[in-house]
């Protein structure tokens, strides 16, 4: 998943849930939501910063420290890992164990005659990829999602009204 989706999707969720979003809160959330991919600057991408060995201690500290900015940062990291889980593999225990897992939903079938839904899925297994040392690049649909997020942001910050 690219940087624009990683920034826009948590931003949209935060803007939908927050009663009074501030600019500093938004900046910290977005920074947290793209932070894990800074591990592209290590030898392997989806490595140290995509591990629960980073997220779990941060999450625990955020429960005890009454700091909204720390919680937003951790929330951003958590959403990043959640999104990556559906678009590849996450090495949950990196560097102790490099093998990662992901989920690929192949299709959902709803049967009309029975109140039943069938979900076809595949568990992905893989390893961190060799880092290419860059974190730029996005798709056209990511740009569209980002533009929607920016419009919602301008509206929520009362810069734009509808
Ligand atoms: Zn990532």
């Amino acid at each position: 998943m690219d940087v624009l989706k990683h920034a826009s999707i948590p931003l949209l969720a935060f803007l939908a849930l927050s009663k009074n979003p501030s600019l500093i809160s938004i900046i910290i959330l977005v920074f947290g939501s793209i932070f894990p991919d800074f591990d592209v600057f290590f030898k392997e991408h989806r490595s140290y910063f995509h591990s629960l060995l980073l997220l779990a201690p941060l999450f625990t500290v955020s429960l005890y420290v009454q700091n909204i900015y720390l919680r937003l940062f951790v929330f951003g990291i958590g959403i990043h890992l959640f999104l990556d889980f559906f678009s590849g593999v996450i090495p949950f225990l990196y560097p102790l164990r490099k093998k990662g897992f992901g989920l690929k939903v192949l299709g959902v079938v709803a049967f009309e005659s029975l109140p039943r839904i069938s979900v076809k899925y595949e568990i992905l297994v893989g390893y961190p990829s060799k880092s290419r040392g860059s974190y730029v690049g996005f798709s056209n649909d990511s740009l569209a999602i980002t533009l929607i997020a920016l419009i919602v942001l301008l509206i929520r910050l009362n810069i734009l009204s509808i």
Side-chain angles (χ1 to χ4, degrees), residues 28-29 31-38 47-81 92:
I28 290 170
L29 171 75
F31 180 67
S33 68
I34 63 173
F35 178 78
D37 278 346
F38 286 131
S47 57
Y48 294 103
F49 297 158
H50 286 73
S51 172
L52 292 184
L53 296 181
L54 168 73
L55 183 61
L58 280 175
F59 178 74
T60 303
V61 169
S62 75
L63 290 178
Y64 293 101
V65 175
Q66 299 295 318
N67 185 305
I68 186 65
Y69 302 123
L70 178 61
R71 288 186 178 175
L72 283 171
F73 182 72
V74 172
F75 178 71
I77 292 174
I79 287 190
H80 182 108
L81 299 186
F92 294 105

Side-chain angles (χ1 to χ4, degrees), residues 75-131:
F75 178 71
I77 292 174
I79 287 190
H80 182 108
L81 299 186
F82 180 80
L83 292 172
D84 274 358
F85 182 71
F86 285 91
S87 65
V89 297
I90 298 293
F92 294 105
L93 298 176
Y94 194 96
L96 300 177
R97 189 163 185 223
K98 290 188 172 186
K99 191 178 199 178
F101 299 92
L103 180 66
K104 183 175 185 179
V105 176
L106 303 171
V108 178
V109 178
F111 297 98
E112 288 181 24
S113 59
L114 299 170
R116 200 179 90 187
I117 293 176
S118 175
V119 178
K120 293 185 182 248
Y121 64 92
E122 180 182 343
I123 301 292
L124 303 176
V125 179
Y127 294 89
S129 58
K130 294 290 177 210
S131 184

